[in-house]
Amino acid sequence: MYLPPHDPHVNDPMRFKPLFRIHLMERKAATVECMYGHKGPHHGHIQIVKKDEFSTKCNQTDHHRMSGGRQEEFRTWLREEWGRTLEDIFHEHMQELILMKFIYTSQYDNCLTYRRIYLPPSRPDDLIKPGLFKGTYGSHGLEIVMLSFHGRRARGTKITGDPNIPAGQQTVEIDLRHQIQLPDLENQRNFNELSRIVLEVRERVRQEQQEGGYEAGEGRGRQGLRESQPSPAQPRAEAPSRGPDGTPAEDGGEPGDAVAVAEQPAQSGQGQPFVLPVGVSSRNEDYPRTCRMCFYGTGLIAGHGFTSPERTPGVFILFDEDRFGFVWLELKSFSLYSRVQATFRNADAPSPQAFDEMLKNIQSLTS
């Protein structure tokens, strides 16, 4: 298992944890050992379910138990997974989310089903190289997101999930047709100014949808209006939960008077100063202070158990080839993403169609 670094250190390397090992014997025989727990290897089982899918089972789950009971198991898990103790976590909401994650993940006792994941195909005109990224998700800690490009859209698909948004769902979707021009540095600190700009872009997108300016298919331009509009049926990610009370935001927002969208191509290589607005929370304050360009996007938020999922507006900020960010407007929260530098052999999709089909399959598992 590849685990993200401890929150909020997105630039640190991934951590490796063995779960099973197989000893190949003579005459094509093999023994399987479960590596889970702290009592050493013990008997396990691996079964090939079908193509690109297998399951694992521990036959001695008592080896996973600790003498101090569930409390000791939880504290040990907290140190290993989060790099901290329960006493370090003062926020009650964060304690609740961490406990939920522990209960959810520990109940399987390393009896799991694995499905193959392809890395996204890369094209010369992609904004940056697609791939896996570590991202900050508020009280949920760090999660792994796959960034892929689809015509004039980019998608961030959760590879690891949380009690609100499960793995397989689209955490963010970026509309590469609508570039956002940030105000000067002083006005960037004003959240109301950023909100006005983003809601104005959202209104423009809605008008284009209503006027039928975009075809339904991906990557097909129509009468010079750039390309297809993102489908509203595709959900994705989140930050803390839905908000302190778990209620969705209003679906309105009056557009401002000034036009703040830069429709012209981005000036590559020319960075601009960037700072988060006052009042926007960030788990990692060590974000870049210069960005290349910004685009309008939407993020998925939901209540616990993926209830009442809703796409909400936000801003995608491209910092460099290996880092980007997303401002969740409704949550007043910022997620920072850093590229996973680990290399995975034999992980390329055999075709773009096979990759798209994989995305649909992993999303359908949790929809």
Side-chain angles (χ1 to χ4, degrees):
M1 186 194 314
Y2 276 94
L3 298 166
H6 292 143
D7 177 59
H9 308 293
V10 292
N11 293 322
D12 288 356
M14 298 283 285
R15 296 173 293 137
F16 177 74
K17 180 180 180 180
L19 296 181
F20 275 86
R21 67 183 180 188
I22 302 173
H23 292 278
L24 299 179
M25 316 294 284
E26 297 179 358
R27 299 179 182 178
K28 298 183 179 180
T31 61
V32 177
E33 291 180 324
C34 174
M35 306 288 287
Y36 194 77
H38 298 81
K39 296 183 179 179
H42 46 281
H43 187 52
H45 178 72
I46 292 180
Q47 179 181 6
I48 304 297
V49 179
K50 57 183 178 181
K51 185 179 183 296
D52 294 336
E53 185 175 316
F54 69 94
S55 62
T56 61
K57 180 181 179 181
C58 175
N59 294 332
Q60 294 177 283
T61 56
D62 57 300
H63 280 62
H64 306 167
R65 307 283 76 85
M66 292 185 171
S67 58
R70 295 289 277 176
Q71 186 176 22
E72 182 185 359
E73 292 171 21
F74 174 61
R75 289 183 175 274
T76 302
W77 174 85
L78 193 60
R79 287 195 303 270
E80 294 178 351
E81 301 291 315
W82 293 76
R84 61 183 70 182
T85 66
L86 194 60
E87 290 72 23
D88 297 332
I89 305 168
F90 302 106
H91 198 289
E92 184 177 343
H93 178 63
M94 188 172 186
Q95 290 179 355
E96 176 191 1
L97 292 173
I98 290 175
L99 183 58
M100 288 174 63
K101 188 169 186 178
F102 169 74
I103 294 172
Y104 185 81
T105 56
S106 63
Q107 66 180 322
Y108 293 104
D109 266 335
N110 212 19
C111 300
L112 304 168
T113 297
Y114 296 79
R115 295 177 179 87
R116 184 182 301 278
I117 293 178
Y118 295 127
L119 293 179
S122 179
R123 301 174 181 84
D125 58 345
D126 288 342
L127 193 63
I128 59 173
K129 181 181 178 182
L132 299 175
F133 289 78
K134 301 155 285 184
T136 57
Y137 277 84
S139 297
H140 290 307
L142 298 190
E143 300 185 27
I144 306 303
V145 168
M146 177 186 288
L147 180 69
S148 57
F149 293 92
H150 309 263
R152 296 299 292 170
R153 286 186 282 176
R155 296 174 184 163
T157 302
K158 274 197 176 184
I159 301 302
T160 58
D162 55 57
N164 294 88
I165 306 295
Q169 296 296 318
Q170 286 183 28
T171 183
V172 292
E173 184 168 278
I174 302 99
D175 188 342
L176 299 176
R177 292 177 305 266
H178 290 90
Q179 187 180 345
I180 288 180
Q181 184 64 47
L182 294 176
D184 58 64
L185 193 61
E186 186 59 35
N187 283 322
Q188 284 184 35
R189 302 180 188 275
N190 187 334
F191 178 79
N192 291 333
E193 177 67 10
L194 177 66
S195 180
R196 180 190 64 80
I197 291 173
V198 175
L199 294 179
E200 184 176 88
V201 179
R202 182 178 70 170
E203 189 65 22
R204 176 181 295 191
V205 170
R206 285 179 172 175
Q207 291 174 358
E208 290 169 347
Q209 286 178 319
Q210 292 172 357
E211 294 168 0
Y214 296 126
E215 293 183 355
E218 291 185 9
R220 297 195 297 270
R222 183 175 182 181
Q223 298 178 353
L225 282 175
R226 279 161 284 292
E227 297 174 58
S228 67
Q229 183 60 27
S231 166
Q234 292 174 324
R236 196 59 219 298
E238 87 131 37
S241 70
R242 235 194 138 93
D245 56 356
T247 56
E250 295 294 327
D251 195 29
E254 294 298 325
D257 296 328
V259 176
V261 181
E263 296 288 3
Q264 68 273 17
Q267 299 177 354
S268 58
Q270 295 185 8
Q272 70 172 109
F274 174 80
V275 66
L276 285 176
V278 175
V280 173
S281 63
S282 175
R283 294 289 299 169
N284 192 325
E285 294 296 333
D286 190 26
Y287 61 88
R289 275 9 186 218
T290 303
C291 68
R292 290 184 185 175
M293 59 191 82
C294 302
F295 295 90
Y296 172 77
T298 58
L300 186 69
I301 63 176
H304 293 339
F306 196 36
T307 55
S308 304
E310 179 188 9
R311 296 180 67 86
T312 60
V315 183
F316 172 87
I317 305 106
L318 177 64
F319 293 117
D320 53 43
E321 186 68 24
D322 296 322
R323 290 176 297 179
F324 64 89
F326 192 83
V327 175
W328 305 79
L329 204 62
E330 179 181 318
L331 299 172
K332 298 185 76 171
S333 177
F334 172 73
S335 291
L336 176 64
Y337 301 83
S338 178
R339 186 182 299 276
V340 172
Q341 299 293 348
T343 57
F344 301 94
R345 296 188 301 169
N346 306 317
D348 295 332
S351 68
Q353 294 76 18
F355 176 78
D356 291 339
E357 187 65 26
M358 180 215 70
L359 282 186
K360 293 178 182 177
N361 289 339
I362 63 175
Q363 184 177 348
S364 66
L365 293 172
T366 55
S367 295

